[in-house]
């Protein structure tokens, strides 16, 4: 699939250089890059986390993505502490995921409710703006899970919800179940999608996302760092903890994609990472790629992607080289 049209949904031009986007059928208006908390409490300590989030907020960022399983919940705690210390909860859109935490695994109603309450406590907030079902728990009927989520929405503990590990067929089943039991449907989808990993989304998932008006948040948007351009040869893999994850991308195809990114980046006097994210941002229904940073300086490249205007020819060339 080679599509370079802009995502659907309204766009807000009133908040700085970046155009804020609406997530699906919700009223959540977010910065077009989501800051992931997956390294907070793992490779990032409190001080580093605060500097990264400060840098993100300084660019106008307002969309923070975490999960109750990241660093066994430590990520949520660190994000909550940052918002409390900066007194900026009202200006942030907080997304978290439940289903994978060792203390509350799966999506049975009582477990899901317990997990959300635990996340609220760790984050130190009254509500979660966007709750993702972190897994597709096929052992639990969708009706049970959806009714539990709806109860949390009615209680004011969750505003909107989405899926994070669902196939197109399962999203259709979830939408049918929502209609049958009369509860709010999903508004968002988080999935693996980047220049190195396209087929999973660009098949049934893209079609279903369009049909259901789901806002799409690509995870692993920079392919574990490969699409930053810092991995060019095998010797580079040993310099980073994610070297083993990146090794599979160090192929002829991967180097061909990096070469194309290099050319486009040079034309825009930009970074490779910025171009890779800008490519995602022109894909249908993509709202905000989810990225993580180990240093606050990296946030500059993420923010630059929101202002980068790729030409149709450049998008087509990236499509062709990564197909």
């Amino acid at each position: 699939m080679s599509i370079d049209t802009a995502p659907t949904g309204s766009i807000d031009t009133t908040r700085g250089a970046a155009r804020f986007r609406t997530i699906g059928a919700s009223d959540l208006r977010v910065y077009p890059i989501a800051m992931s908390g997956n390294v907070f409490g793992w490779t990032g300590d409190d001080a580093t986390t605060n500097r990264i989030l400060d840098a993100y907020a300084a660019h106008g960022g307002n969309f923070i993505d975490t999960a109750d399983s990241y660093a066994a919940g430590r990520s949520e705690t660190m994000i909550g502490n940052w918002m409390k210390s900066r007194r900026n909860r009202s200006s942030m859109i907080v997304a978290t995921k439940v289903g994978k935490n060792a203390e509350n695994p799966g999506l049975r109603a009582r477990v899901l409710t317990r997990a959300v309450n635990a996340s609220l406590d760790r984050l130190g907030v009254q509500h979660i703006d966007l709750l993702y079902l972190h897994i597709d728990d096929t052992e639990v009927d969708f009706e049970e899970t959806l009714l539990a989520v709806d109860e949390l929405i009615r209680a004011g503990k969750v505003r909107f919800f989405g899926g994070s590990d669902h196939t197109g067929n399962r999203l259709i089943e979830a939408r049918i179940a929502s209609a049958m039991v009369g509860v709010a449907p999903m508004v968002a989808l988080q999935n693996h999608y980047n220049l190195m990993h396209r087929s999973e989304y660009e098949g049934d998932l893209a079609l279903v996302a369009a049909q259901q008006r789901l806002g799409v948040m690509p995870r692993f948007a920079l392919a574990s760092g490969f699409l930053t351009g810092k991995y060019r040869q095998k010797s580079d893999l040993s310099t980073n903890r994610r070297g083993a994850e990146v090794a599979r991308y160090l192929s002829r195809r991967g180097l061909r994609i990096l070469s194309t990114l290099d050319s486009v980046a040079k034309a825009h006097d930009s970074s490779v990472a910025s171009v890779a994210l800008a490519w995602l941002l022109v894909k249908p229904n993509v709202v905000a790629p989810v990225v993580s940073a180990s240093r606050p300086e990296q946030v500059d490249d993420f923010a630059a992607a929101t202002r980068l205007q790729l030409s149709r020819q450049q998008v087509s060339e990236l499509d062709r080289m990564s197909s």
Side-chain angles (χ1 to χ4, degrees):
M1 181 181 292
S2 178
I3 303 174
D4 61 356
T5 55
T8 58
S10 57
I11 294 175
D12 183 355
T13 59
T14 63
R15 301 183 64 178
R19 300 183 300 173
F20 275 55
R21 300 179 173 197
T22 302
I23 298 177
S26 77
D27 62 4
L28 301 176
R29 301 178 73 81
V30 298
Y31 188 77
I33 295 290
M35 179 53 61
S36 174
N38 67 346
V39 299
F40 300 161
W42 175 41
T43 61
D45 59 16
D46 290 283
T48 302
T49 295
N50 288 342
R51 288 196 297 271
I52 290 170
L53 290 173
D54 283 343
Y56 177 66
H59 281 289
N62 76 331
F63 191 17
I64 303 176
D65 179 277
T66 186
D68 66 352
S69 59
Y70 292 169
R74 176 68 175 153
S75 173
E76 290 180 325
T77 300
M78 295 168 79
I79 291 166
N81 289 341
W82 176 77
M83 289 191 296
K84 182 178 180 180
S85 67
R86 304 313 190 255
R87 299 181 179 179
N88 63 359
R89 169 64 182 106
S90 62
S91 62
M92 292 291 141
I93 301 297
V94 178
T96 195
K97 312 174 197 70
V98 296
K100 289 186 178 181
N101 185 283
E103 294 182 359
N104 295 302
L107 296 176
R108 292 205 174 279
R110 66 182 183 278
V111 176
L112 188 153
T113 301
R114 190 168 64 229
V116 168
N117 286 329
S119 287
L120 289 170
D121 288 343
R122 285 189 292 266
L123 287 163
V125 299
Q126 299 299 309
H127 67 268
I128 294 163
D129 296 296
L130 179 60
L131 176 72
Y132 288 106
L133 307 180
H134 207 176
I135 60 171
D136 181 7
D137 191 345
T138 56
E139 295 184 1
V140 182
D141 289 339
F142 265 133
E143 288 82 355
E144 178 180 343
T145 298
L146 295 171
L147 285 168
V149 173
D150 193 66
E151 186 174 330
L152 289 164
I153 292 173
R154 292 176 184 274
K157 295 182 177 183
V158 172
R159 293 182 64 192
F160 300 95
F161 82 110
S164 177
D165 189 29
H166 297 75
T167 64
N169 285 339
R170 289 288 284 168
L171 289 172
I172 292 171
E173 290 179 30
R175 182 58 62 102
I176 293 171
S178 295
M180 288 180 65
V181 297
V183 299
M186 294 184 189
V187 301
L189 170 66
Q190 187 173 121
N191 60 285
H192 191 175
Y193 185 34
N194 57 54
L195 275 163
M196 298 298 300
H197 190 96
R198 295 177 55 187
S199 59
E200 178 183 316
Y201 173 69
E202 292 183 352
D204 291 343
L205 277 175
L207 181 61
V208 173
Q211 291 172 337
Q212 298 188 3
R213 293 186 60 202
L214 300 176
V216 176
M217 269 59 72
R219 64 172 177 262
F220 302 121
L222 292 173
S224 300
F226 179 76
L227 293 174
T228 65
K230 63 183 178 182
Y231 302 100
R232 305 277 179 163
Q233 50 194 6
K234 290 183 179 180
S235 60
D236 296 330
L237 300 177
S238 62
T239 63
N240 192 285
R241 294 189 183 189
R242 290 188 166 179
E245 299 175 38
V246 178
R248 66 186 186 276
Y249 298 133
L250 201 56
S251 61
R252 288 184 180 180
R253 175 174 176 265
L255 293 176
R256 184 174 68 238
I257 291 170
L258 285 184
S259 178
T260 307
L261 286 169
D262 287 338
S263 297
V264 177
K266 183 177 180 180
H268 288 275
D269 191 23
S270 183
S271 72
V272 167
S274 296
V275 174
L277 294 173
W279 177 84
L280 279 171
L281 285 169
V282 301
K283 294 302 174 181
N285 301 299
V286 168
V287 174
V290 182
V291 295
S292 59
S294 57
R295 305 186 310 276
E297 310 87 68
Q298 295 170 329
V299 180
D300 293 341
D301 285 342
F302 305 159
T306 69
R307 302 184 295 272
L308 192 56
Q309 300 290 318
L310 301 181
S311 69
R312 277 184 185 273
Q313 181 179 357
Q314 289 169 338
V315 172
S316 296
E317 184 67 6
L318 286 166
D319 285 345
R320 187 174 68 87
M321 288 298 177
S322 61
S323 62

